[in-house]
Amino acid sequence: MGNNTMPIRYGKSTSMNPVITSIYTADPSAHVWDDGRIYIYASHDTDPARGCDLMDRYHVFSSANMVDWQDEGEILSSEEVSWGRPEGGFMWAPDCAYKNGTYYFYYPHPSGTNWNDTWRIGVATSTKPASDFTDQGYIGGLGGFAMIDPAVFVDDDNRAYIYYGGGGVCEGGELDKSMMAIQGDMKLMEGLEDFHEAAWVFKRNGLYYLTYADNFAGNNRMRYAVSVNPLGPWTYKGIFLEPTGCSTTHGSVVEFKGQWYLFYHNQDISGEGTLRSVCIDELHFEQDGSISMVIQTREGVSLAGAAASPNRSSQAYGTSACLIGGGASLLTLDDGTKVIIGLQAPEAYAQWDEVDGGIGGRFEVAVMYATAERLAKLRLIVNGRDYSLVNALSTGGSDEYTGYTSLTVRLEPGSKNRIRWSGGNGDISISGLLIHSLED
Ligand code: FUB
């Protein structure tokens, strides 16, 4: 064990798309907060997929420059929602708002077994943007059949509005000072053409924009409408995102350091519509304020501001401190480095038993790997909790140990944390474990 740097994550000049590759994420709601960072509040498609019902937890991601994204870890799971569907699951497209020192996390979640009839909009709060959220219950008077996808817009005058809906119905209304109740009535958002779901509202040059997913068969697109009033009526303007290849589409539009962006998802990593991945591309406006068609790129977006420091210190655990089993074995490379191979079988594993969690808290747990496969996966188990599969994209060769994949989890205080990476999802070899502490 010792100090190390993590050069592999850094040095990219563009974000690449998808931008989040370690786990599957969808429905990104992006916000820039007072700390100068941009945050993505996303749904988390759990692997292996089981429709959208097994989406049972949320992760947040943040960046200072649009290229280097930090997994901030899990902020809420269906197990923590006392009023939620007894069977859990269905933590769909969320959003977050900030007002007077509190972050409000809004999420759609069914309250009954008959899930699609019993949607409610839950609210969890925290004084931090990406940790310590506690559920506060749901917003009274909202919900019912297919009523999903909350989006909250706080106007320049500090008045806050909530929009939501699905199955062709979009409603909006004003939140009261508590940010957890509706002031007055919700009303139908008039003037939208072919609304399906995924409402999002932003303001530019005094004009309000409402973006949403349409019903285009099998492959939704994103459309938008504008208004001089945050609750409409709206004037329909057109399509600005063509199909991404995924059966759903869902996005958010935000300005960061003078450039506008569209956050959306596709299924490029998995090829499956319920294992989606967040992407980012630039969004541009015409002279008259209309949105230009967004060009979906493989490169993603360029650095906005300084590159992240490659000098973050971390704890590195080599393969000598590792227990291996189930068919995994050690191989000594020409330069003397020992790596772990043979992780093809589900029983195969590499486990570190004495990982130092310091005083306890959030840690990015990473593994360095080589794989020639387009997509291999490792299962991450920390102190007995199964965090599901973590993706490892091809490094271009089975002896190219340049891969880095990670997930942010909570470690216990002290040096008895047990971290296990197990196989069974592709030919992948690993050269070590890294952990990096995040501020709580
Ligand atoms: O992620 C689950 C659902 O799929 C969202 O709530 C919809 O907007 C669609 O993206």
Side-chain angles (χ1 to χ4, degrees):
M1 190 181 98
N3 282 336
N4 200 350
T5 55
M6 295 193 287
I8 300 150
R9 290 185 62 194
Y10 298 100
K12 286 189 295 178
S13 56
T14 67
S15 64
M16 302 302 292
N17 274 326
V19 287
I20 311 294
T21 57
S22 295
I23 57 173
Y24 294 109
T25 51
D27 311 324
S29 291
H31 290 279
V32 182
W33 300 136
D34 288 349
D35 62 2
R37 294 179 73 81
I38 183 163
Y39 290 80
I40 302 174
Y41 298 84
S43 306
H44 173 20
D45 285 345
T46 310
D47 190 8
R50 201 180 67 200
C52 282
D53 59 342
L54 198 60
M55 299 165 64
D56 63 352
R57 60 194 78 167
Y58 296 108
H59 273 244
V60 180
F61 301 83
S62 77
S63 175
N65 61 21
M66 297 297 289
V67 167
D68 303 301
W69 287 90
Q70 172 70 52
D71 175 11
E72 298 278 350
E74 188 181 311
I75 59 160
L76 190 73
S77 80
S78 58
E79 286 169 11
E80 297 167 78
V81 181
S82 59
W83 51 267
R85 179 178 181 264
E87 300 86 350
F90 294 99
M91 305 291 275
W92 283 11
D95 194 15
C96 191
Y98 174 77
K99 201 170 171 184
N100 300 336
T102 301
Y103 295 88
Y104 297 86
F105 180 70
Y106 300 88
Y107 62 96
H109 184 54
S111 54
T113 302
N114 192 10
W115 62 272
N116 207 22
D117 289 327
T118 62
W119 288 101
R120 293 193 187 279
I121 304 302
V123 190
T125 59
S126 175
T127 55
K128 298 172 192 159
S131 61
D132 295 347
F133 279 87
T134 305
D135 187 58
Q136 306 293 345
Y138 54 84
I139 302 179
L142 299 192
F145 176 73
M147 293 305 278
I148 56 173
D149 296 356
V152 172
F153 167 71
V154 181
D155 209 343
D156 307 328
D157 59 6
N158 232 15
R159 290 170 74 179
Y161 302 88
I162 186 164
Y163 308 83
Y164 82 140
V169 176
C170 182
E171 290 182 358
E174 187 167 356
L175 287 165
D176 73 6
K177 285 203 172 79
S178 73
M179 296 290 277
M180 292 187 271
I182 303 300
Q183 180 170 300
D185 294 324
M186 293 293 286
K187 58 184 229 175
L188 199 63
M189 295 295 92
E190 289 170 13
L192 311 180
E193 277 188 20
D194 200 26
F195 175 85
H196 177 44
E197 57 189 12
W200 175 262
V201 170
F202 67 95
K203 188 179 185 181
R204 178 179 178 269
N205 294 342
L207 194 62
Y208 299 89
Y209 292 71
L210 194 162
T211 66
Y212 58 94
D214 72 9
N215 292 287
F216 192 60
N219 240 220
N220 303 159
R221 301 168 297 197
M222 286 192 70
R223 301 183 182 223
Y224 77 107
V226 297
S227 176
V228 291
N229 186 310
L231 293 175
W234 300 91
T235 303
Y236 175 68
K237 295 291 285 182
I239 295 162
F240 69 99
L241 184 73
E242 293 289 6
T244 66
C246 181
S247 56
T248 59
T249 197
H250 193 124
S252 58
V253 176
V254 68
E255 185 181 21
F256 182 60
K257 298 185 180 174
Q259 171 65 52
W260 287 85
Y261 299 94
L262 175 68
F263 290 71
Y264 61 100
H265 65 234
N266 68 21
Q267 61 179 58
D268 280 6
I269 294 178
S270 71
E272 292 183 55
T274 48
L275 292 177
R276 300 163 292 179
S277 301
V278 166
C279 299
I280 314 170
D281 274 304
E282 289 186 0
L283 180 135
H284 297 275
F285 295 89
E286 304 292 337
Q287 285 289 333
D288 64 359
S290 55
I291 303 178
S292 312
M293 190 67 79
V294 171
I295 299 169
Q296 299 173 41
T297 69
R298 182 82 186 90
E299 296 74 30
V301 297
S302 302
L303 266 179
S309 162
N311 295 321
R312 292 194 325 173
S313 72
S314 63
Q315 294 176 56
Y317 293 81
T319 50
S320 57
C322 178
L323 296 172
I324 53 176
S329 59
L330 277 179
L331 173 75
T332 306
L333 302 179
D334 290 347
D335 66 0
T337 309
K338 287 188 165 50
V339 296
I340 298 161
I341 60 169
L343 287 164
Q344 290 94 325
E347 315 76 58
Y349 66 89
Q351 179 170 307
W352 285 264
D353 275 351
E354 297 195 344
V355 177
D356 187 358
I359 58 168
R362 293 185 301 157
F363 284 80
E364 181 183 334
V365 173
V367 70
M368 294 164 293
Y369 68 86
T371 183
E373 304 218 3
R374 194 189 74 78
L375 170 61
K377 299 174 188 183
L378 290 166
R379 185 171 293 282
L380 174 63
I381 299 167
V382 179
N383 295 329
R385 181 175 178 194
D386 183 350
Y387 282 87
S388 95
L389 296 168
V390 177
N391 292 332
L393 305 185
S394 174
T395 57
S398 55
D399 53 0
E400 295 286 332
Y401 287 88
T402 53
Y404 177 98
T405 192
S406 69
L407 196 68
T408 295
V409 304
R410 286 203 166 266
L411 294 186
E412 300 294 333
S415 57
K416 290 292 177 198
N417 288 279
R418 175 174 292 177
I419 294 179
R420 174 188 281 230
W421 295 94
S422 63
N425 290 279
D427 185 5
I428 178 168
S429 308
I430 63 181
S431 62
L433 173 77
L434 283 167
I435 67 164
H436 174 77
S437 164
L438 271 67
E439 270 178 31
D440 251 331

